Each structure stands twice: as C-alpha cells, then as structure tokens.
Amino acid sequence: MQRVTPHVFTSTEIRGCNPSYVVTSAGVVVIDTPQLPTKAVQMRRQAEEHGPIRFVVNTEHHVDHIFGNYWFKGAGDVVHHQGVADNFMTVTPDLDPFAYALEAIPTDDPGAAGMIPDRDTYYEDPNAGDLVFTGDLDMTVGGTTFHLIHTPGHTPGQVAVYVPEERVVFTGDTVFSECQTWLMTSDIDQWVGALDVIAGLDVDTVVPGHGPVTTPAYLATQRSVLLEWTSAVAEAVAKGWSREETIERVHFRDKFGPVDVGQGYMMDHIQSLNAASLWDKFTAKRAPVR
C-alpha cells in the first residue's frame, strides 16, 4: 500500500481499481476492495493492523471495486449508494461480473485459485451493502469526516468520498489518471457535472479509480478526455458514418495513455466499446414529444 498522507493508504499497482483505506482514531474505513482475492486478504490484514475496520465503502458497482468485498466479511458495515445496490454483481447481456473476475486469476493472482468459491456459494452472500443510501451521506468516524457525495456519470450509483481533514478525495472511476478511460454505459453529461462537483472540493490530493494518485489539476484533463471522445464520435455521426465505420476510424490508442495495470490486452476492446457506446447514444431514436 502506498502512503498518501499520514492516515491515507492506497494501492495503484495491482490489477483492478485503486483500493484504499483511511485510518482514524476509532478504526479504519476501507474505500473499494481489491478485485484479486489474495490482495483483498493482504489489504484487510494490513488495515486491521491500524485498528478494527468500521466501514467498507464501495464507490461504484463495477466488479473491480466490489468483488473483494467477499473477503471482507465481518469487517465492518458495507456502505454504498442505492445505484450500487441495484447493480451489485448483476449479470447482464454484456457482462458476467463473476466470470470476468475469474479471468484475472490465472494471470494476475494464481495463488487465489483455491480461495474462489463456486458461483452459487459466492452469490449466497457476496457481502453487499448493510447501509444503502440515496443522495449524499455524511459519516464521522473517530473525529474524521467522510462525505459520500453522489457523483453519477460513470455509473448511476457513483460516489466520491471526500475526507476534508486529510484534504483528499477518492473519486472512483470518475477519474482515470494517466490511463485509458472506460466509457461503457456512462452518461457523459452527468460525468462532466461530477467533475465540476469534485473540482469544488478543498483538497490537495485526488485518489482516482485507476492510475497514479494525482492533484485537482488533473480533473481538467479528465474532462478533456470525455469531451474529445464525444466530439469525435459526434463528428462521425454527422458525417453519416455507420457504427462499424465509427468503431474502425475513431480511437485514441496513442493519446490517452496505456490501459491500467494488467489489462493492456484490452486496448482495442476499450476503443471499440467507447466508440460504439457513444455512437449508439447519438443515433438512438427518441420518442416524439406530444
């Protein structure tokens, strides 16, 4: 774990999100759990060296932020937004999150092979939310304040965790620092608005969902990534390009950095997915106004 401030720790060099924790005088608050099971166990052990884990906060429902919850059972209450609860480890036509998590085991966490329960056992209790909220939520643990701010865009239940005493904000995947951004099924307008909200916080340090720890100055870079993607695909639609032509011609492989740790092989997939999802949104037929 990288020490960000005297009381804030994160990990930016393993596959998955940047799992983190904050040490308070009354225990530890975990913010997102590692996707890789052995890393989840190690992180829990390290966190508990500072005191009991009081809460486990998930910033979003994507599997790399929540799969590790299974190995944090009994370690404090799990806290997340209703939007996370509604989509927690839910299988969709586009993604089976359990199968996706298991894909990483042979290459990135072979020691976890014997730790993975079968699907039915896992889904009996994946350690989802004990405390589920709508809007925003404020918590105080041992004199340390945690503002859980609803910042939808990347996902509907996205939250940023603002810790004013540490002058730190944990953004989840609202920020991809120096690596490729996954647009997926996001709402770009909301995402830009979320960046504006985070930019208004009084912080020195931004712990992103992926990539190295950064500063508030990087929020403008993240905004430009979103706007360049939308502008490029909007221009493709205006030119009458088909979905396939847009996927082939619109990409940012060489501009927005590498793919985050352990997923370099997914570069082409990210480019195709981003272009296709935006093309679908721009060309969707809207019901007539009556």
Side-chain angles (χ1 to χ4, degrees), residues 80-157:
H80 48 233
H81 193 272
Q82 184 66 53
V84 177
D86 292 343
N87 296 283
F88 197 96
M89 291 298 293
T90 300
V91 177
T92 70
D94 297 322
L95 181 69
D96 178 341
F98 186 80
Y100 179 80
L102 265 55
E103 285 181 14
I105 301 303
T107 54
D108 294 271
D109 200 14
M115 298 171 57
I116 307 293
D118 62 63
R119 178 186 291 269
D120 290 342
T121 301
Y122 176 87
Y123 274 97
E124 285 176 4
D125 180 15
N127 200 22
D130 300 298
L131 175 57
V132 176
F133 63 97
T134 57
D136 301 337
L137 176 69
D138 291 342
M139 307 190 306
T140 301
V141 183
T144 301
T145 310
F146 295 83
H147 297 292
L148 278 58
I149 305 168
H150 187 211
T151 48
H154 179 68
T155 66

Side-chain angles (χ1 to χ4, degrees), residues 23-24 26-28 44 46-54:
V23 178
T24 81
V28 179
R44 175 173 177 172
Q46 291 173 9
E48 290 177 334
E49 291 175 357
H50 298 278
I53 295 174
R54 299 287 306 280

Side-chain angles (χ1 to χ4, degrees), residues 46-64:
Q46 291 173 9
E48 290 177 334
E49 291 175 357
H50 298 278
I53 295 174
R54 299 287 306 280
F55 297 99
V56 175
V57 178
N58 298 122
T59 63
E60 61 177 80
H61 74 269
H62 287 154
V63 63
D64 55 323

Side-chain angles (χ1 to χ4, degrees), residues 226-244:
L226 300 179
L227 296 181
E228 285 196 57
W229 263 110
T230 53
S231 295
V233 176
E235 183 177 351
V237 171
K239 291 178 178 177
W241 292 358
S242 68
R243 191 176 193 268
E244 291 70 25

